[in-house]
Amino acid sequence: MSLDKATVRRIATLARLDVPDSDLEPLANELSSIMGWIEQLQEVDTTSVAPMTGGTDMKLVWRVDEVTDGGKPDDVLANATDSQGAFFTVPKVVE
Amino acid sequence: MAYTLKGETGDWEVVIGLEVHAQVVSKSKLFSGASAEFGAEPNTHVSLVDAGMPGMLPVLNAHAVEQAVKSGLGMKAKINRRSVFARKNYFYADMPQGYQISQYDQPIVGEGTIVLDMPDGSTRSIGVERLHLEQDAGKSIHDLHPSKTFIDLNRSGVPLMEIVSKPDLRSPEEAGLYLKKLRSILRYLGTCDGNMEEGSMRCDANVSVRPVGSTELRTRCEIKNVNSVRFVMMAIEHEARRHIEVWESGGKVDQETRLYDPNRDETRSMRSKEMAHDYRYFPDPDLLPLELDEAFIAKIQAGLPELPDDKQQRFMRDYGLSAYDADVLVSERENALYFEDVAKGRDAKIAANWVISNLFGVLNKQGLAIADSPVSAKDLGALLDLLADNTLSGRMAKDVFEAMVETGKTPGVIVEERGLKQVTDTGAIEAAIDQVIASAPDKVAEYRGGKDKLIGWFTGQVMRATQGAASPGVVNDLLKKKLAP
């Protein structure tokens, strides 16, 4: 399967990546070869193998419903590019 | 009577499906140990998981899972033994991960049913498509700065249940009843507090229209985040009328997300969402599939409280109430408890009448919940006892009830203070009866001649003679005896 430039442009837009036009062609080629590799994996006959989510037999871990975290707004905001008081601030987004 | 809207070309039917986001009652968030409590200082109920910091891993809150299963069982829904958390990818400033952890093609709860009691006494079964668990986003505040939006992540990661109905609803009224019934079930279960004003229950409505008689499904629009039952009903009616206008003028309804503005009673397009429909869901690689065993589900099933529908059936069976009265009494668990306190050992129909007509009337007028009722169940019961043993007539009981509402005193005290006792002393009543009989020999003759209905006239005369203080029951019994030929 090969991706065209329009599809790469759409993927980039959805991922909020600013890709110059000149990079579309090389990116399309790179992504197409990754898809090719996945297609190659699909050639393996898995009819007798039960679907699995990983190589180990693990169960999802649950936690007890208790408050064990929070109360650290300074840590939460430490990497913010912009903040005011205890809020993150971003350019105005309003309907 | 089916609900239809008149257009230029004929009558139209409305097709409605509701998506309800119900905040799970829990101490902590769905995937972190930060508090899920409402109303704290900004960004204080936030862990680094909720802030979307790189490398942070989500760990599932067991209680949120129990709450979702409990809600599913309350809607008699299928509980899926295996479900999968998926990432719903989109960018918004109040969602720092860049994706919402939700459930996609394998939700925790499958198909169920919610039964609506219609005002005409009939019932309507509305299908529930699914219930899934997901994270809430943070909160954007747009009015604190001219060019900036402020972000508070306290709500980020709070557990929500998204409950999706089938497109089975056919009128704004049905949509309103569905929301109220769903809220009632969740409140009985204690899985969501159902407070729409505070945002712990929010509703999106999918609306389309079709000519009456048609079974096609036309293009629908989704109205986002309506925050009261009344506004949901208004938004649906408005949107349906808009669709009819578009179709009848030869246009086409575009599938889109719209916002309802209750001040102007109109919906408008949310253009910014247009690009966002490609969510590229995929299973969250940080979370293994959620597997539930039979014992886990059975334990929750065993702990379910009596739900509104079952309670309503019991009230009809054990107390002889009408479906409507029973429905009114069970909609809130606290109301049902109050009624049962009043009805215990008394005439249940009379108790239901007093609770519904008199007590609820007062509470509605004063905007009070039953917990703040000026009249306790015990005092209302005592009033009904005074009515039952003929100490008070019906009219006197209403006066005493009003005084109870005003003063908060017990009926016994009010009766003493106002000297309101009904005359049940047969001697005094007999004297009054003798006088009435002696003064109207012609009427007595007519009665004895077969005009039974005159008993009412005699009762009225005796009541007047005793200034309304005589017990009508006693008067009636004595009159019949004395008038017997």
Side-chain angles (χ1 to χ4, degrees):
Chain A
M1 186 185 166
S2 74
L3 298 174
D4 59 17
K5 286 206 285 187
T7 308
V8 175
R9 167 63 69 211
R10 179 164 174 78
I11 295 168
T13 307
L14 286 168
R16 294 293 189 278
L17 293 176
D18 183 15
V19 177
D21 282 342
S22 57
D23 285 358
L24 288 178
E25 188 78 52
L27 266 175
N29 289 335
E30 282 174 32
L31 289 170
S32 295
S33 56
I34 293 172
M35 301 292 283
W37 182 67
I38 292 166
E39 272 163 24
Q40 207 180 329
L41 283 177
Q42 283 175 341
E43 287 168 19
V44 182
D45 180 7
T46 57
T47 42
S48 61
V49 183
M52 57 174 87
T53 49
T56 54
D57 187 22
M58 275 175 62
K59 288 245 180 273
L60 178 62
V61 179
W62 299 5
R63 31 168 269 279
V64 177
D65 181 30
E66 271 164 11
V67 177
T68 56
D69 206 341
K72 47 185 172 202
D74 294 342
D75 290 354
V76 168
L77 289 160
N79 293 323
T81 49
D82 195 12
S83 65
Q84 265 192 33
F87 292 99
F88 291 92
T89 49
V90 298
K92 196 151 210 152
V93 274
V94 73
E95 293 300 335
Chain B
M1 256 289 284
Y3 173 89
T4 55
L5 289 172
K6 276 213 180 321
E8 300 278 319
T9 57
D11 290 347
W12 295 78
E13 179 180 54
V14 189
V15 179
I16 307 151
L18 296 181
E19 290 173 21
V20 172
H21 288 89
Q23 183 179 330
V24 175
V25 173
S26 70
K27 293 190 201 122
S28 66
K29 293 188 175 176
L30 185 53
F31 295 114
S32 88
S35 169
E37 203 185 329
F38 177 82
E41 289 298 308
N43 289 311
T44 54
H45 287 179
V46 183
S47 79
L48 299 181
V49 178
D50 311 314
M53 294 294 169
M56 295 296 110
L57 290 173
V59 186
L60 181 62
N61 181 341
H63 186 59
V65 175
E66 284 170 19
Q67 295 283 62
V69 170
K70 201 187 236 186
S71 302
L73 292 172
M75 299 183 297
K76 313 237 183 317
K78 178 169 177 273
I79 307 301
N80 290 325
R81 272 47 176 179
R82 185 177 192 277
S83 64
V84 172
F85 286 102
R87 291 185 181 179
K88 178 180 182 178
N89 298 280
Y90 65 95
F91 285 99
Y92 205 76
D94 56 23
M95 203 186 54
Q97 289 169 304
Y99 56 85
Q100 176 192 33
I101 305 178
S102 180
Q103 297 189 297
Y104 184 50
D105 53 355
Q106 298 179 70
I108 184 166
V109 175
E111 293 186 348
T113 310
I114 288 181
V115 179
L116 309 185
D117 286 279
M118 305 305 293
D120 66 2
S122 65
T123 57
R124 280 265 287 139
S125 281
I126 305 301
V128 170
E129 177 73 34
R130 60 186 281 161
L131 175 156
H132 68 250
L133 278 169
E134 63 183 25
Q135 304 173 294
D136 204 349
K139 189 176 167 198
S140 296
I141 304 152
H142 304 293
D143 56 4
L144 292 179
H145 193 279
S147 63
K148 287 178 180 178
T149 292
F150 283 46
I151 310 284
D152 173 12
L153 296 180
N154 279 349
R155 234 175 50 192
S156 167
V158 163
L160 301 179
M161 298 179 282
E162 179 171 328
I163 302 157
V164 183
S165 85
K166 290 181 182 291
D168 286 352
L169 299 159
R170 291 289 174 274
S171 68
E173 182 189 35
E174 286 185 5
L177 288 171
Y178 171 89
L179 280 176
K180 285 184 191 158
K181 189 59 173 282
L182 176 60
R183 180 167 63 185
S184 169
I185 292 171
L186 298 180
R187 288 168 62 116
Y188 265 68
L189 293 167
T191 57
C192 171
D193 71 22
N195 190 330
M196 290 190 86
E197 291 71 35
E198 280 184 12
S200 48
M201 198 169 137
R202 311 194 283 273
C203 179
D204 303 342
N206 286 294
V207 179
S208 69
V209 298
R210 63 188 177 200
V212 169
S214 150
T215 54
E216 65 180 325
L217 286 175
R218 297 202 178 190
T219 311
R220 62 186 157 83
C221 287
E222 183 181 8
I223 310 164
K224 276 276 180 204
N225 267 337
V226 196
N227 68 357
S228 83
V229 173
R230 195 167 65 90
F231 288 163
V232 170
M233 295 169 68
M234 285 164 65
I236 289 169
E237 175 163 356
H238 171 85
E239 184 64 9
R241 290 191 188 281
R242 192 184 69 84
H243 284 212
I244 293 168
E245 239 171 72
V246 172
W247 292 120
E248 291 194 331
S249 62
K252 218 173 122 283
V253 171
D254 294 322
Q255 181 162 348
E256 60 180 357
T257 305
R258 299 178 70 86
L259 266 185
Y260 179 66
D261 180 347
N263 296 321
R264 300 159 90 177
D265 188 25
E266 64 174 30
T267 63
R268 59 175 187 273
S269 184
M270 288 171 76
R271 297 191 191 285
S272 66
K273 288 262 177 184
E274 275 170 16
M275 189 61 194
H277 279 303
D278 189 350
Y279 292 127
R280 293 150 294 142
Y281 281 97
F282 64 89
D284 192 313
D286 289 339
L287 292 158
L288 286 160
L290 171 55
E291 285 169 339
L292 306 177
D293 60 37
E294 300 307 319
F296 177 82
I297 297 166
K299 196 175 156 209
I300 296 172
Q301 177 86 56
L304 286 184
E306 185 183 34
L307 287 163
D309 285 346
D310 298 330
K311 206 183 272 290
Q312 184 193 16
Q313 290 304 319
R314 180 166 65 80
F315 280 15
M316 290 164 68
R317 192 178 60 235
D318 293 359
Y319 296 126
L321 302 186
S322 70
Y324 180 80
D325 283 357
D327 181 48
V328 170
L329 288 170
V330 305
S331 69
E332 296 281 346
R333 208 173 131 261
E334 292 71 20
N335 291 356
L337 285 173
Y338 185 103
F339 161 72
E340 288 206 272
D341 275 351
V342 177
K344 197 170 182 189
R346 303 192 174 95
D347 185 314
K349 282 190 190 176
I350 293 176
N353 274 337
W354 274 84
V355 171
I356 294 172
S357 312
N358 300 313
L359 182 76
F360 289 177
V362 167
L363 295 182
N364 283 343
K365 211 188 310 177
Q366 304 192 2
L368 294 174
I370 195 108
D372 311 313
S373 168
V375 177
S376 70
K378 191 165 155 262
D379 287 350
L380 182 54
L383 177 66
L384 298 191
D385 290 341
L386 293 174
L387 191 61
D389 70 10
N390 282 321
T391 306
L392 295 176
S393 68
R395 196 180 53 78
M396 293 162 102
K398 285 205 170 109
D399 291 342
V400 173
F401 180 75
E402 271 174 35
M404 288 164 72
V405 171
E406 271 166 40
T407 63
K409 290 179 182 166
T410 66
V413 168
I414 292 166
V415 165
E416 282 301 323
E417 279 179 359
R418 306 196 175 186
L420 279 172
K421 281 196 180 163
Q422 177 168 249
V423 178
T424 49
D425 165 15
T426 48
I429 297 173
E430 275 184 81
I433 288 175
D434 290 341
Q435 218 175 348
V436 171
I437 288 179
S439 68
D442 48 336
K443 292 259 198 300
V444 174
E446 276 183 57
Y447 177 85
R448 289 190 175 144
K451 271 189 94 174
D452 290 356
K453 282 186 184 158
L454 275 173
I455 191 82
W457 180 84
F458 282 106
T459 308
Q461 293 301 308
V462 176
M463 293 304 288
R464 189 182 296 172
T466 56
Q467 272 113 39
S471 158
V474 175
V475 171
N476 230 308
D477 289 347
L478 289 173
L479 264 172
K480 277 186 185 158
K481 259 182 233 157
K482 286 188 183 278
L483 285 168

